[in-house]
């Protein structure tokens, strides 16, 4: 009897731990959890609020490529199967300090409420009170995780309410609580800091959240990168240097091919862009006050003139698209299948921002190497673009979109073939039934034994 009871207890414990065991087996992440590789910041000279800064940071290439692959349904499904997640997303945390990062008041403001705390999440304590200020940024969404450079406006002005003064009753700090009195002035319903006398410092780290399905529902795991290097603006920081044409190398492109997508009912080409570390830093720095974008040209092999073709313009590692419908015109309405085409690109660098006094002439870099491929038929008489074709890359993405979601999976996460009655694998239900049956048998046997003992 003792032996059977021990087996029953072990079985019950295994059932309880099943979720943890499955999670542990699949805990590898699809990319390395690395800190932002480059950070830069610039004051926008009072064009938003007197203190607003434009902060830029770059995300690692393998991370950007992963989220690019997640946009393709075929590669996305393969990644979900490989890493066994339901959803995965990333956000950034931006920490700040004024003058001295180690000061007890105005130094780094990161604390325990910047990390996930189970039921309480980020920002909140055990009584669901917010414990971070308006200038703290522990959960800022990425603009588009496929892009190398990301930008956020930070240290924006706060009105004379709880955002400035805090809420002592609920232990919510105000921005005033995080500054020393000699570091600011407050008037016109906002805070002012003289950056010829003071310096603002910043650092950032990336947070990846992986959600997996368990018998108790979706469970999320948070992974935090190291903090980036520190950047700053003000009295003790050298100004960001303006790039010259000789500073930015020509693009390096490879692997030109035709995709399954269409635009204007015509084929779409795709090529791979290499983004070295030097370019990542340049893109990040320029993102505070301008942009570096990809300008692509193509032609039929043998032609003397090149034609600008629209497509992906953002500098990011991996695949960029080029829309080949731009190659046909009234003089050449059709380009036959298997015609050799050539493609090249260069960077367009713009360093003027309407929010700052920085201004310099725009320039193009040298051209990349030329790559060649054979096209599908391109025809100007085909129907125009409609909703069934690939969307133009030039459409503006929403700022700070919600965390990405994925389609619900019908496949059972354990056996991969059962219909998951009531959300659980059928084998788990069988195991539960066996455990219940075993418990009933044990109780019945023990009651019978007890009655026999009483009769004796």
């Amino acid at each position: 009897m003792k032996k059977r009871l021990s087996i029953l207890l072990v079985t019950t414990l295994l059932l309880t731990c099943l979720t943890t065991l499955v999670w542990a087996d699949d805990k590898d992440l699809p990319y390395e959890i690395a800190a932002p590789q480059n950070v830069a910041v610039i004051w926008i000279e009072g064009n938003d609020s007197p203190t607003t800064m434009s902060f830029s940071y770059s995300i690692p290439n393998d991370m950007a490529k992963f989220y690019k692959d997640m946009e393709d349904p075929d590669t996305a499904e393969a990644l979900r199967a490989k890493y066994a997640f339901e959803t995965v997303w990333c956000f950034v945390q931006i920490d700040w300090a004024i003058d001295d990062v180690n000061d007890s008041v105005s130094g780094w403001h990161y604390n325990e409420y910047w990390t996930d705390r189970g039921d309480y999440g980020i920002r909140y304590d055990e009584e669901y009170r917010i414990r971070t200020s308006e200038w703290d940024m522990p959960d800022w969404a990425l603009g588009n995780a496929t892009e190398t450079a990301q930008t956020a406006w930070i240290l924006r002005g706060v009105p004379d309410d709880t955002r400035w003064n805090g809420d002592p009753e609920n232990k919510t700090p105000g921005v005033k609580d995080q500054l020393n009195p000699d570091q600011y002035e407050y008037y016109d319903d906002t805070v002012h800091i003289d950056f010829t006398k003071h310096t603002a410092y910043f650092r950032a780290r990336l947070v990846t959240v992986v959600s997996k399905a368990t018998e108790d529902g979706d469970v999320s795991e948070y992974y935090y990168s190291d903090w980036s290097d520190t950047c700053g603006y003000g009295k003790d920081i050298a100004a960001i240097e303006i790039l010259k044409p000789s500073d930015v190398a020509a693009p390096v492109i490879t692997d030109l091919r035709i995709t399954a997508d269409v635009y204007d009912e015509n084929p779409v080409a795709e090529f791979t862009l290499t983004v070295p570390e030097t370019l990542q830093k340049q893109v990040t720095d320029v993102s505070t006050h301008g942009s570096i974008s990809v300008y692509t040209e193509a032609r039929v092999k043998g032609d003397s003139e090149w034609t600008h073709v629209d497509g992906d313009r953002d500098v990011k590692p991996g695949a960029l698209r080029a829309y080949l419908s731009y190659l046909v015109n009234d003089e050449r309405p059709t380009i036959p299948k298997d015609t050799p085409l050539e493609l090249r690109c260069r960077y367009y660098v713009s360093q003027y921002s309407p929010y700052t006094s920085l201004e310099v002439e725009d320039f193009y870099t040298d051209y990349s190497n030329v790559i060649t491929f054979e096209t599908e038929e391109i025809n100007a008489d085909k129907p125009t673009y409609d909703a069934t074709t690939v969307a133009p890359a030039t459409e503006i993405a929403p700022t700070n979109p919600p965390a990405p979601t994925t389609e619900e999976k019908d496949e059972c996460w354990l056996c991969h073939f059962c219909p998951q009655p009531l959300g659980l694998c059928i084998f788990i239900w069988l195991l539960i039934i066996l455990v219940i049956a075993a418990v009933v048998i044990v109780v019945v046997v023990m009651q019978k034994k007890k009655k026999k003992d009483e009769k004796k």
Side-chain angles (χ1 to χ4, degrees):
M1 174 59 68
K2 289 183 178 179
K3 184 177 180 180
R4 284 184 301 200
L5 186 58
S6 298
I7 293 173
L8 175 62
L9 291 174
V10 169
T11 303
T12 305
L13 287 172
L14 284 174
L15 178 61
T16 305
C17 297
L18 185 58
T19 297
T20 304
L21 292 173
V22 171
W23 179 279
D25 288 342
D26 298 310
K27 201 171 183 179
D28 291 341
L29 292 170
Y31 52 81
E32 181 183 354
I33 305 300
Q37 295 166 302
N38 302 286
V39 288
V41 69
I42 193 170
W43 178 50
I44 66 171
E45 302 180 6
N47 286 284
D48 175 61
S49 80
T51 53
T52 302
M53 300 274 179
S54 177
F55 177 81
S56 293
Y57 57 98
S58 65
I59 61 176
N61 279 345
D62 60 339
M63 175 179 163
K65 184 179 184 305
F66 165 77
Y67 286 106
K68 176 70 174 176
D69 291 341
M70 286 295 292
E71 291 183 344
D72 185 328
D74 295 331
T75 54
E77 188 61 29
L79 286 168
R80 288 193 193 95
K82 180 177 180 180
Y83 296 102
F85 58 75
E86 292 298 312
T87 58
V88 57
W89 68 94
C90 184
F91 60 89
V92 67
Q93 297 186 324
I94 305 172
D95 198 3
W96 64 281
I98 302 294
D99 293 332
D100 180 2
V101 298
N102 296 313
D103 187 87
S104 60
V105 175
S106 64
W108 293 131
H109 295 95
Y110 162 78
N111 58 31
E112 63 181 299
Y113 302 106
W114 288 50
T115 57
D116 175 65
R117 304 171 64 249
D119 293 337
Y120 312 112
I122 290 174
R123 290 185 181 265
Y124 296 90
D125 64 13
E126 290 77 2
E127 298 182 30
Y128 296 99
R129 298 174 298 193
I130 295 177
R131 302 296 293 273
T132 58
S133 82
E134 188 77 5
W135 278 7
D136 296 339
M137 299 184 68
D139 52 2
W140 191 256
L142 303 186
N144 184 338
T146 70
E147 297 175 8
T148 295
Q150 307 281 324
T151 301
W153 280 10
I154 56 180
L155 266 59
R156 304 182 77 175
V158 286
D160 191 11
D161 55 20
T162 55
R163 286 168 285 182
W164 170 245
N165 300 297
D167 183 359
E169 183 178 348
N170 288 307
K171 298 184 179 181
T172 301
V175 172
K176 182 171 69 174
D177 301 319
Q178 299 175 312
L179 297 170
N180 291 304
D182 62 343
Q183 293 175 325
Y184 69 89
E185 294 181 275
Y186 195 94
Y187 56 89
D188 294 338
D189 202 32
T190 193
V191 59
H192 299 252
I193 296 176
D194 186 348
F195 292 110
T196 65
K197 299 178 181 178
H198 301 283
T199 304
Y201 296 97
F202 306 94
R203 61 180 181 175
R205 70 175 183 176
L206 295 166
V207 184
T208 294
V209 186
V210 178
S211 176
K212 298 188 179 183
T214 74
E215 62 182 75
D216 298 321
D218 287 353
V219 175
S220 295
E221 187 82 6
Y222 287 67
Y223 299 90
Y224 304 86
S225 77
D226 293 332
W227 288 102
S228 69
D229 292 336
T230 299
C231 67
Y233 181 88
K235 178 175 69 71
D236 298 323
I237 300 292
I240 293 176
E241 294 185 3
I242 296 296
L243 292 176
K244 304 182 296 294
S246 59
D247 293 332
V248 185
V252 176
I253 57 176
T254 56
D255 193 22
L256 185 60
R257 64 270 184 193
I258 292 290
T259 73
D261 293 330
V262 291
Y263 173 73
D264 264 355
E265 294 298 331
N266 277 294
V268 176
E270 192 173 70
F271 60 93
T272 299
L273 176 69
T274 299
V275 184
E277 290 185 10
T278 299
L279 179 62
Q280 285 186 13
K281 185 176 189 318
Q282 291 169 336
V283 171
T284 303
D285 288 349
V286 172
S287 293
T288 63
H289 59 276
S291 64
I292 299 178
S293 53
V294 180
Y295 185 91
T296 304
E297 296 177 351
R299 68 181 180 184
V300 173
K301 190 172 183 178
D303 285 358
S304 58
E305 299 295 326
W306 291 87
T307 300
H308 166 64
V309 294
D310 206 354
D312 290 329
R313 297 180 180 181
D314 295 316
V315 176
K316 52 189 175 183
L320 272 67
R321 295 172 298 178
Y323 303 142
L324 300 181
S325 57
Y326 287 83
L327 288 175
V328 291
N329 50 43
D330 292 340
E331 297 178 359
R332 181 162 50 194
T334 300
I335 298 176
K337 177 180 171 62
D338 296 331
T339 299
L341 299 183
E342 295 179 320
L343 184 141
R344 68 181 184 180
C345 60
R346 55 181 174 169
Y347 294 125
Y348 174 65
V349 183
S350 173
Q351 296 177 94
Y352 167 77
S353 169
Y355 307 111
T356 74
S357 59
L358 288 173
E359 186 172 3
V360 68
E361 286 189 9
D362 299 347
F363 65 87
Y364 289 98
T365 66
D366 292 336
Y367 281 106
S368 70
N369 52 304
V370 175
I371 47 182
T372 304
F373 70 113
E374 294 181 349
T375 183
E376 296 293 325
E377 182 183 85
I378 310 171
N379 193 333
D381 295 329
K382 289 185 176 180
T384 56
Y385 168 79
D386 60 36
T388 64
T389 63
V390 63
T394 52
E395 290 185 350
I396 298 174
T399 303
N400 282 333
T405 58
T406 55
E407 294 181 359
E408 183 179 355
K409 293 174 62 177
D410 294 329
E411 183 181 271
C412 175
W413 60 273
L414 182 61
C415 69
H416 303 293
F417 64 82
C418 83
Q420 302 181 84
L422 297 179
L424 288 179
C425 177
I426 193 168
F427 289 101
I428 293 178
W429 282 116
L430 291 173
L431 186 56
I432 292 173
I433 293 169
L434 288 173
V435 170
I436 294 173
V439 171
V440 172
I441 292 170
V442 169
V443 171
V444 171
V445 170
M446 292 181 69
Q447 286 180 342
K448 288 183 177 180
K449 185 176 183 300
K450 184 178 179 181
K451 290 179 179 180
K452 289 181 179 179
D453 292 341
E454 288 175 351
K455 288 180 178 179
K456 290 180 180 180

PDB file of all heavy atoms in Angstrom, residues 350-363:
ATOM      1  N   SER A 350      20.214  63.043 -44.715  1.00  0.00           N
ATOM      2  CA  SER A 350      19.605  64.334 -44.419  1.00  0.00           C
ATOM      3  C   SER A 350      19.840  64.652 -42.948  1.00  0.00           C
ATOM      4  O   SER A 350      19.476  63.860 -42.080  1.00  0.00           O
ATOM      5  CB  SER A 350      18.104  64.301 -44.724  1.00  0.00           C
ATOM      6  OG  SER A 350      17.477  65.495 -44.292  1.00  0.00           O
ATOM      7  N   GLN A 351      20.446  65.804 -42.662  1.00  0.00           N
ATOM      8  CA  GLN A 351      20.790  66.141 -41.277  1.00  0.00           C
ATOM      9  C   GLN A 351      20.165  67.455 -40.836  1.00  0.00           C
ATOM     10  O   GLN A 351      20.688  68.135 -39.960  1.00  0.00           O
ATOM     11  CB  GLN A 351      22.315  66.196 -41.120  1.00  0.00           C
ATOM     12  CG  GLN A 351      22.959  64.847 -41.356  1.00  0.00           C
ATOM     13  CD  GLN A 351      24.454  64.910 -41.270  1.00  0.00           C
ATOM     14  OE1 GLN A 351      25.037  64.666 -40.216  1.00  0.00           O
ATOM     15  NE2 GLN A 351      25.097  65.232 -42.378  1.00  0.00           N
ATOM     16  N   TYR A 352      19.051  67.804 -41.424  1.00  0.00           N
ATOM     17  CA  TYR A 352      18.322  68.988 -40.974  1.00  0.00           C
ATOM     18  C   TYR A 352      17.090  68.550 -40.206  1.00  0.00           C
ATOM     19  O   TYR A 352      16.401  67.611 -40.598  1.00  0.00           O
ATOM     20  CB  TYR A 352      17.897  69.858 -42.157  1.00  0.00           C
ATOM     21  CG  TYR A 352      16.891  70.920 -41.768  1.00  0.00           C
ATOM     22  CD1 TYR A 352      17.307  72.067 -41.098  1.00  0.00           C
ATOM     23  CD2 TYR A 352      15.542  70.754 -42.023  1.00  0.00           C
ATOM     24  CE1 TYR A 352      16.388  73.026 -40.707  1.00  0.00           C
ATOM     25  CE2 TYR A 352      14.622  71.710 -41.642  1.00  0.00           C
ATOM     26  CZ  TYR A 352      15.044  72.849 -40.978  1.00  0.00           C
ATOM     27  OH  TYR A 352      14.139  73.787 -40.583  1.00  0.00           O
ATOM     28  N   SER A 353      16.810  69.212 -39.110  1.00  0.00           N
ATOM     29  CA  SER A 353      15.585  68.931 -38.362  1.00  0.00           C
ATOM     30  C   SER A 353      14.878  70.243 -38.095  1.00  0.00           C
ATOM     31  O   SER A 353      15.516  71.223 -37.698  1.00  0.00           O
ATOM     32  CB  SER A 353      15.900  68.237 -37.038  1.00  0.00           C
ATOM     33  OG  SER A 353      14.751  68.208 -36.223  1.00  0.00           O
ATOM     34  N   PRO A 354      13.565  70.315 -38.309  1.00  0.00           N
ATOM     35  CA  PRO A 354      12.830  71.551 -38.010  1.00  0.00           C
ATOM     36  C   PRO A 354      12.807  71.870 -36.524  1.00  0.00           C
ATOM     37  O   PRO A 354      12.404  72.948 -36.125  1.00  0.00           O
ATOM     38  CB  PRO A 354      11.413  71.247 -38.525  1.00  0.00           C
ATOM     39  CG  PRO A 354      11.314  69.766 -38.513  1.00  0.00           C
ATOM     40  CD  PRO A 354      12.687  69.261 -38.814  1.00  0.00           C
ATOM     41  N   TYR A 355      13.256  70.913 -35.658  1.00  0.00           N
ATOM     42  CA  TYR A 355      13.205  71.124 -34.226  1.00  0.00           C
ATOM     43  C   TYR A 355      14.529  71.629 -33.647  1.00  0.00           C
ATOM     44  O   TYR A 355      14.644  71.880 -32.472  1.00  0.00           O
ATOM     45  CB  TYR A 355      12.817  69.825 -33.514  1.00  0.00           C
ATOM     46  CG  TYR A 355      11.553  69.224 -34.073  1.00  0.00           C
ATOM     47  CD1 TYR A 355      11.580  68.049 -34.797  1.00  0.00           C
ATOM     48  CD2 TYR A 355      10.331  69.864 -33.899  1.00  0.00           C
ATOM     49  CE1 TYR A 355      10.421  67.505 -35.320  1.00  0.00           C
ATOM     50  CE2 TYR A 355       9.167  69.331 -34.429  1.00  0.00           C
ATOM     51  CZ  TYR A 355       9.221  68.155 -35.139  1.00  0.00           C
ATOM     52  OH  TYR A 355       8.077  67.628 -35.666  1.00  0.00           O
ATOM     53  N   THR A 356      15.571  71.720 -34.481  1.00  0.00           N
ATOM     54  CA  THR A 356      16.868  72.185 -33.993  1.00  0.00           C
ATOM     55  C   THR A 356      17.462  73.166 -34.991  1.00  0.00           C
ATOM     56  O   THR A 356      16.976  73.346 -36.104  1.00  0.00           O
ATOM     57  CB  THR A 356      17.857  71.020 -33.816  1.00  0.00           C
ATOM     58  OG1 THR A 356      18.290  70.582 -35.100  1.00  0.00           O
ATOM     59  CG2 THR A 356      17.229  69.859 -33.075  1.00  0.00           C
ATOM     60  N   SER A 357      18.554  73.824 -34.593  1.00  0.00           N
ATOM     61  CA  SER A 357      19.234  74.753 -35.493  1.00  0.00           C
ATOM     62  C   SER A 357      20.261  74.047 -36.367  1.00  0.00           C
ATOM     63  O   SER A 357      20.913  74.671 -37.189  1.00  0.00           O
ATOM     64  CB  SER A 357      19.941  75.837 -34.663  1.00  0.00           C
ATOM     65  OG  SER A 357      20.872  75.251 -33.770  1.00  0.00           O
ATOM     66  N   LEU A 358      20.414  72.718 -36.187  1.00  0.00           N
ATOM     67  CA  LEU A 358      21.347  71.965 -37.018  1.00  0.00           C
ATOM     68  C   LEU A 358      20.864  71.971 -38.463  1.00  0.00           C
ATOM     69  O   LEU A 358      19.715  71.665 -38.747  1.00  0.00           O
ATOM     70  CB  LEU A 358      21.451  70.516 -36.525  1.00  0.00           C
ATOM     71  CG  LEU A 358      22.191  70.285 -35.210  1.00  0.00           C
ATOM     72  CD1 LEU A 358      22.036  68.826 -34.803  1.00  0.00           C
ATOM     73  CD2 LEU A 358      23.661  70.632 -35.349  1.00  0.00           C
ATOM     74  N   GLU A 359      21.735  72.325 -39.351  1.00  0.00           N
ATOM     75  CA  GLU A 359      21.360  72.323 -40.755  1.00  0.00           C
ATOM     76  C   GLU A 359      22.614  72.143 -41.601  1.00  0.00           C
ATOM     77  O   GLU A 359      23.637  72.770 -41.370  1.00  0.00           O
ATOM     78  CB  GLU A 359      20.656  73.626 -41.132  1.00  0.00           C
ATOM     79  CG  GLU A 359      20.112  73.624 -42.544  1.00  0.00           C
ATOM     80  CD  GLU A 359      19.251  74.841 -42.834  1.00  0.00           C
ATOM     81  OE1 GLU A 359      19.127  75.712 -41.963  1.00  0.00           O
ATOM     82  OE2 GLU A 359      18.716  74.904 -43.953  1.00  0.00           O
ATOM     83  N   VAL A 360      22.534  71.270 -42.579  1.00  0.00           N
ATOM     84  CA  VAL A 360      23.641  71.013 -43.487  1.00  0.00           C
ATOM     85  C   VAL A 360      23.036  70.502 -44.781  1.00  0.00           C
ATOM     86  O   VAL A 360      21.912  69.989 -44.797  1.00  0.00           O
ATOM     87  CB  VAL A 360      24.624  69.985 -42.888  1.00  0.00           C
ATOM     88  CG1 VAL A 360      23.986  68.611 -42.803  1.00  0.00           C
ATOM     89  CG2 VAL A 360      25.921  69.934 -43.669  1.00  0.00           C
ATOM     90  N   GLU A 361      23.748  70.653 -45.881  1.00  0.00           N
ATOM     91  CA  GLU A 361      23.216  70.190 -47.154  1.00  0.00           C
ATOM     92  C   GLU A 361      23.071  68.673 -47.163  1.00  0.00           C
ATOM     93  O   GLU A 361      23.942  67.936 -46.699  1.00  0.00           O
ATOM     94  CB  GLU A 361      24.145  70.631 -48.290  1.00  0.00           C
ATOM     95  CG  GLU A 361      24.058  72.120 -48.601  1.00  0.00           C
ATOM     96  CD  GLU A 361      24.814  72.471 -49.874  1.00  0.00           C
ATOM     97  OE1 GLU A 361      25.235  71.530 -50.577  1.00  0.00           O
ATOM     98  OE2 GLU A 361      24.975  73.663 -50.139  1.00  0.00           O
ATOM     99  N   ASP A 362      21.951  68.191 -47.706  1.00  0.00           N
ATOM    100  CA  ASP A 362      21.760  66.753 -47.878  1.00  0.00           C
ATOM    101  C   ASP A 362      22.776  66.228 -48.888  1.00  0.00           C
ATOM    102  O   ASP A 362      23.237  66.965 -49.763  1.00  0.00           O
ATOM    103  CB  ASP A 362      20.350  66.454 -48.381  1.00  0.00           C
ATOM    104  CG  ASP A 362      19.278  66.923 -47.404  1.00  0.00           C
ATOM    105  OD1 ASP A 362      19.627  67.244 -46.257  1.00  0.00           O
ATOM    106  OD2 ASP A 362      18.103  66.974 -47.805  1.00  0.00           O
ATOM    107  N   PHE A 363      23.091  64.947 -48.781  1.00  0.00           N
ATOM    108  CA  PHE A 363      24.013  64.365 -49.756  1.00  0.00           C
ATOM    109  C   PHE A 363      23.728  62.884 -49.949  1.00  0.00           C
ATOM    110  O   PHE A 363      23.103  62.236 -49.114  1.00  0.00           O
ATOM    111  CB  PHE A 363      25.478  64.574 -49.344  1.00  0.00           C
ATOM    112  CG  PHE A 363      25.896  63.867 -48.075  1.00  0.00           C
ATOM    113  CD1 PHE A 363      26.344  62.541 -48.104  1.00  0.00           C
ATOM    114  CD2 PHE A 363      25.856  64.519 -46.850  1.00  0.00           C
ATOM    115  CE1 PHE A 363      26.740  61.892 -46.942  1.00  0.00           C
ATOM    116  CE2 PHE A 363      26.249  63.878 -45.681  1.00  0.00           C
ATOM    117  CZ  PHE A 363      26.693  62.562 -45.725  1.00  0.00           C
TER     118      PHE A 363
END
